[in-house]
Every structure is written in C-alpha cells, then in structure tokens.
Amino acid sequence: MAARKEIDGSASVPQFYGKELRYKREEAGLTLEKLVDGSFYSITYLSEIEHGQRRMPIDLARHADRKLNTDGFFERRCKEVRKARRTGLAEYFADVLELEKRAREIEEWSPMLVPGPLQLEPYIRAVVKASRPFDTDEEVQAKVTNRRDRAWVFEEREGPGAWAILDESILQKPLVGANDMAEQLAHIAAVARRRTFIPQILPCNAGAHPFMMGTAWMMSFENEPPLMYTEGMYSGQVIDDPELYDRYSKAYDRLRAAALPPEVSLRLIEQAAEDYRNGTRPTRYEHSGLA
C-alpha cells in the first residue's frame, strides 16, 4: 500500500484549506468517493483540492458543508483561497492573475500549447522543464500547483465566460506520452462538454490568419475597459490602449471566423484523444469525417 502523503498546511492558504477539508472528511468517516457522491466532481478533483493544488468551486464547497455539517465553513473560505498569494509564478504575470479574478469574459488564442488553466500535471511538467530546465523539483512542483490552482478560469461556472481558439497542431504534436496526451485532450473535451468554456480549432490548412506571430488573451470586465495580454517565453505584456486594443479585438474576430465551429472542434479534440488512447497519431482535420 502506498504511504499516506501528509499535507503541509503551513505552505499556503490553499494547502491549509485542503488539509482542513481532509481532516473534516476523515473525522466524519467519509472516503473521497463518499464525499463527492451527489456532486458533479470526481475523486481526483477532490484529492487535488485536499492537497492544495486547486481551488474549491463554490457549489462543491456548499456540497461539502452539507455532507460534513460544517455550517458554511468551506463556502466562506472559498474567496479567501482565491485571494491567497501564489508562489511559483512569473512576476510579469502577477497583474494578469489579479485581472482574471475580475474578468467577465476571457477569449484566448493558443497557437502552440494547451491553455495554462486546462493543462494537467504531466503536460505542465513537460512545459516547465522545457522552458526552465534548471529549476529544482520544488520549483517545478510550485509551478504545477499554481497552474492547477488556476483551473477555475475555464472549469468553473462561477468563473468568467471563456472561449479558446487552439491551433490544430496542438492535437498532433504530443508534448507527453500517448496515454498522458489522451488524458489531457479528454480533459479539455470534458470541460467543454460541461459547457464551462467554448473551444474552436484553427485547422492547419487555414492559410494566413491574424495572430500568426503570438498569443492573445482578451479580457472584458463589468466596470472597467477591456484589455489584452500577450506572452512570450520569458515575458508578458498587458495592452490597454483603447485604439490598439480595438485593432487586436477585430483581428481576434477574424481569427475566430477562420476557425472550425465549436461542435466540430470538440469532436476533433475527442477523436484525437481516442487516437492517442489507441496508440495512433491523430490525422489532420478532414471536413467529411467530422462535419
């Protein structure tokens, strides 16, 4: 039997919160499976919360309060965990981290990688090790934890409205082993099927299109002007000049028009996941096979 992994509740607010959740669950004599029973979440999802690797969504917090008779404790702590200071994040991303909490809608263009909040641990580790090969195991783990903690951006209904355009090459160029890639793509599809974000795939034969030279993250707010964030390997920039933002926004609309419809895109992601699961490489998009 694998050794029980202890949780260091002093390491961060999310880990303190997660340790308290496990304590209350075990005090009530419930397994992970028993606690999530009746919710829409998985055992793995709850385990990640208990280890401080992701934030508890408000509906799951309310569910836990009912199951554990904790009188709204976990619901009240949700906002505190979201506001908690993260470690293992690039300095240039700190402002964006605060902005995404207030965003009403986020529209992303991802030409090379699965969007960060949708990445699972094996994929995150591959990306981090490629860009920062000399990081210690502790530094890599901090980045994994913090990226998974941002999963709420795409995965939770309480998060902003989310729309992501992904280049088809992301499906065809695995950064991890076939099984991990299958799980990664299946995860993206599952999140989309829950209708918490809308995916579109830009096919490889789309030809010339806007944003061929960079990422884009368009954010709109209730009572603030919209802005865009773009990022390179070791730097990022927030663009809030109204005129420049307007040009980027129109370019993003043209990019969206060049991408496949959401339902076709979703089936393409699911087919790629199945291909990796069966030990084959995904083929390029063919309209006749998926329309």
Side-chain angles (χ1 to χ4, degrees):
M1 179 181 292
R4 172 189 171 94
K5 184 177 179 181
E6 291 300 321
I7 303 168
D8 181 5
S10 67
S12 67
V13 171
Q15 285 183 234
F16 174 85
Y17 181 73
K19 186 172 185 177
E20 187 69 13
L21 175 63
R22 185 161 80 175
Y23 172 80
K24 293 292 188 183
R25 174 178 62 78
E26 292 178 344
E27 184 181 46
L30 296 180
T31 62
L32 288 166
E33 184 178 12
K34 288 292 186 182
L35 183 52
V36 297
D37 184 42
S39 75
F40 295 100
Y41 296 89
S42 67
I43 295 171
T44 300
Y45 195 105
L46 187 62
S47 178
E48 288 186 345
I49 293 171
E50 288 194 348
H51 287 85
Q53 295 177 346
R54 66 190 307 161
R55 188 184 70 85
M56 181 182 280
I58 191 69
D59 58 336
L60 183 55
R62 290 168 181 156
H63 173 83
D65 281 326
R66 288 193 298 271
K67 284 270 194 173
L68 300 173
N69 296 314
T70 42
D71 192 30
F73 173 87
F74 292 104
E75 181 179 357
R76 291 192 299 272
R77 297 299 180 270
C78 276
K79 290 183 179 179
E80 294 177 15
V81 176
R82 180 174 289 182
K83 292 177 181 177
R85 181 180 179 183
R86 277 95 164 163
T87 58
L89 292 167
E91 286 186 14
Y92 59 80
F93 195 72
D95 288 342
V96 179
L97 197 64
E98 295 303 314
L99 288 166
E100 72 181 7
K101 297 174 189 175
R102 307 196 302 270
R104 180 187 62 192
E105 187 171 61
I106 293 176
E107 300 170 297
E108 181 168 353
W109 156 237
S110 190
M112 299 294 293
L113 299 171
V114 170
L118 287 169
Q119 293 175 11
L120 298 180
E121 182 167 341
Y123 197 96
I124 297 170
R125 287 185 177 276
V127 173
V128 171
K129 289 179 179 179
S131 61
R132 304 184 67 89
F134 301 113
D135 276 9
T136 65
D137 290 343
E138 291 75 15
E139 289 170 330
V140 173
Q141 183 57 49
K143 291 177 174 63
V144 169
T145 297
N146 281 285
R147 194 162 299 182
R148 288 303 298 144
D149 192 45
R150 292 181 53 240
W152 67 272
V153 175
F154 281 95
E155 296 183 19
E156 297 180 17
R157 293 188 182 278
E158 293 76 21
W163 193 301
I165 303 174
L166 315 179
D167 191 88
E168 187 184 0
S169 63
I170 292 173
L171 309 184
Q172 298 171 350
K173 296 179 180 178
L175 302 190
V176 292
N179 289 337
D180 286 333
M181 197 65 191
E183 184 176 357
Q184 175 64 75
L185 296 178
H187 173 70
I188 295 172
V191 173
R193 288 292 182 195
R194 293 204 301 266
R195 301 187 183 279
T196 50
F197 96 105
I198 298 173
Q200 279 189 270
I201 296 295
L202 184 76
C204 291
N205 62 0
H209 60 79
F211 292 105
M212 288 190 292
M213 300 178 64
T215 62
W217 201 4
M218 321 294 290
M219 286 185 277
S220 60
F221 308 88
E222 289 290 347
N223 300 305
E224 304 171 53
L227 54 79
M228 184 192 118
Y229 174 71
T230 185
E231 188 175 87
M233 185 178 294
Y234 304 114
S235 63
Q237 180 183 10
V238 173
I239 297 171
D240 55 8
D241 175 81
E243 184 176 347
L244 189 54
Y245 172 85
D246 187 59
R247 292 177 64 185
Y248 276 116
S249 180
K250 287 181 170 61
Y252 189 88
D253 288 342
R254 295 194 299 273
L255 177 69
R256 180 158 41 203
L260 299 173
E263 185 58 35
V264 174
S265 298
L266 187 49
R267 291 202 297 272
L268 190 62
I269 295 168
E270 290 172 331
Q271 182 60 60
E274 187 65 20
D275 289 342
Y276 282 115
R277 197 173 288 116
N278 293 332
T280 59
R281 293 286 290 273
T283 57
R284 288 190 173 183
Y285 165 75
E286 293 182 7
H287 187 276
S288 60
L290 288 164

